[in-house]
Amino acid sequence: YVLNDTAGVWLRTDYEGIAYSDGDEIEQHIAEIIQNAEDRSVLSSELRAHCTDWPTTYHLSSQRSNLLRPFSADLQGNILEIGAGCGAMTRFLGESGAQVLALEGSLRRATIAQSRTLDLSNVTIVADRFEHFHIDQHFDVITLIGVLEYAGMFSTHQDPAWDMLRKIHALLKPHGKLIIAIENQLGLKYFAGAPADHLGQAMYGIEGRYRKGEPQTFGRQHLQYLLQRAGFDHTRFLLPFPDYKLPVCILTEEGLHRTDFDAAELICQTITKDAQLPTSTHFSQERVWPVLHQNGLLHDLTNSFLIVASNDPPVATESRVLGHYYSTDRSPPFCKET
């Protein structure tokens, strides 16, 4: 890899990028907002003021980083972020103080991510496709946030998701951790009529209509099978609500099993915070979540998964946490974590 002085990112001299974009106008707008911002931090009030529609909210909102806040103590050493996008999560990882290598297939997005982390000397941006990415280094933490579902679009392997996880396992240090965030193919909001995130059609994932070369999500059991087959001995599933994109609440397995803790009540408080939920749904999610909780089905019908996979069992401190609730859509001094 060589440093491209114009883009500020590392890439192979013959690299042309991948065909993945939110659209030229949208991404140019995001790039200009970040370039003109004086405060590019995670909790920047300046960037939050530009969150006026879904694309700007997704790329600039401080709520994005809530997903990784439960793992703050683990974000040390060398971190590889696969699929950096426009740098929202890259910024949070960089602010953690770790040495971050962020990999992004789109050259334009990699350039935007570099701009978002311009003042962080501990962050390096590489533009390359994951299947062509080669490095001798091994990592303490690897993140795969909203990326695994795209494995089939950029790989010719017969089982692209498993192949990606297998390669990631080989990049981890012996006690390293992989953090995955992905939509649940069987998420409750999709039964309620919300369109599939990547293809825009209702019931597409639930009916298993995925075709070769399309984005594909998975249910809990299949994800666990893929991870175990890829070599991970231990997996821990956390549940982000309303989903992993802009999470407000993250529940742990311990929280789901405690009879004196009302997990469903916290979930219900997040429903109206889902920016992608249709105005009309087939049923009231507020009424359904408590019923699912009573019947032990939250794990299987959660909207998204937040997964920690490793070869080490969870430590005792992790099992004592019931859940996390965040208020990060305010001025920085008033942001809260419960």
Side-chain angles (χ1 to χ4, degrees):
Y1 297 102
V2 297
L3 182 64
N4 182 296
D5 293 330
T6 303
V9 304
W10 293 82
L11 71 167
R12 290 180 279 108
T13 53
D14 60 343
Y15 188 64
E16 298 180 352
I18 61 173
Y20 182 85
S21 170
D22 284 338
D24 293 343
E25 185 177 347
I26 291 173
E27 293 192 355
Q28 184 58 38
H29 181 49
I30 298 295
E32 291 173 356
I33 291 172
I34 293 174
Q35 287 170 3
N36 295 328
E38 293 185 9
D39 180 7
R40 304 178 186 186
S41 67
V42 168
L43 296 178
S44 169
S45 299
E46 186 180 356
L47 292 181
R48 188 171 61 253
H50 289 282
C51 297
T52 56
D53 54 19
W54 172 247
T56 52
T57 299
Y58 179 71
H59 291 295
L60 302 174
S61 172
S62 56
Q63 290 185 337
R64 285 283 305 280
S65 60
N66 290 344
L67 187 74
L68 293 179
R69 291 186 183 279
F71 313 113
S72 293
D74 297 320
L75 301 180
Q76 302 174 4
N78 296 303
I79 297 178
L80 172 63
E81 179 189 19
I82 300 174
C86 294
M89 305 302 279
T90 317
R91 181 75 206 195
F92 180 79
L93 292 170
E95 290 184 12
S96 73
Q99 292 297 315
V100 180
L101 179 60
L103 181 69
E104 169 55 40
S106 162
L107 182 55
R108 178 165 56 192
R109 287 184 164 217
T111 305
I112 297 173
Q114 193 277 335
S115 179
R116 183 73 193 268
T117 58
L118 187 63
D119 57 324
L120 299 177
S121 60
N122 56 320
V123 176
T124 301
I125 311 293
V126 175
D128 202 359
R129 298 168 66 115
F130 175 70
E131 60 268 35
H132 298 157
F133 176 65
H134 295 289
I135 191 169
D136 294 331
Q137 185 178 358
H138 289 81
F139 297 89
D140 297 283
V141 176
I142 296 178
T143 67
L144 203 60
I145 311 300
V147 174
L148 185 62
E149 55 267 44
Y150 292 102
M153 291 182 62
F154 304 106
S155 172
T156 57
H157 195 276
Q158 186 175 359
D159 194 343
W162 168 77
D163 186 53
M164 175 177 255
L165 292 172
R166 177 183 63 83
K167 292 176 179 176
I168 289 172
H169 185 271
L171 287 170
L172 279 169
K173 293 181 180 179
H175 301 289
K177 293 182 178 180
L178 168 62
I179 301 174
I180 300 173
I182 186 172
E183 300 89 349
N184 179 10
Q185 181 182 2
L186 303 175
L188 183 68
K189 75 175 186 178
Y190 304 120
F191 282 101
D197 291 78
H198 310 292
L199 297 162
Q201 298 181 40
M203 303 299 162
Y204 199 90
I206 289 172
E207 294 178 353
R209 286 189 264 155
Y210 300 122
R211 290 176 292 185
K212 187 176 179 61
E214 290 183 339
Q216 178 175 357
T217 57
F218 310 93
R220 180 175 66 90
Q221 291 199 28
H222 190 67
L223 276 170
Q224 196 152 23
Y225 163 74
L226 288 173
L227 286 162
Q228 290 174 345
R229 186 175 160 220
F232 292 95
D233 296 330
H234 297 277
T235 55
R236 185 163 60 101
F237 281 72
L238 292 85
L239 313 186
F241 289 95
D243 60 23
Y244 84 83
K245 298 179 189 68
L246 299 174
V248 175
C249 174
I250 299 175
L251 298 173
T252 67
E253 294 177 348
E254 178 71 11
L256 300 183
H257 298 142
R258 282 280 291 268
T259 57
D260 59 343
F261 177 66
D262 193 348
E265 173 61 25
L266 285 181
I267 295 172
C268 290
Q269 291 180 25
T270 71
I271 294 172
T272 58
K273 301 180 186 298
D274 189 343
Q276 293 183 295
L277 198 66
T279 54
S280 177
T281 56
H282 300 327
F283 51 77
S284 166
Q285 292 186 78
E286 288 89 345
R287 289 185 174 272
V288 176
W289 283 119
V291 177
L292 297 179
H293 186 28
Q294 291 169 3
N295 289 276
L297 293 172
L298 290 185
H299 247 142
D300 292 300
L301 295 174
T302 181
N303 293 325
S304 292
F305 299 113
L306 176 57
I307 310 165
V308 182
S310 69
N311 290 329
D312 294 338
V315 298
T317 53
E318 293 172 340
S319 64
R320 291 199 297 266
V321 178
L322 307 182
H324 308 259
Y325 202 93
Y326 301 101
S327 299
T328 53
D329 55 345
R330 357 172 138 180
S331 296
F334 302 101
C335 292
K336 293 172 61 180
E337 176 182 18
T338 305

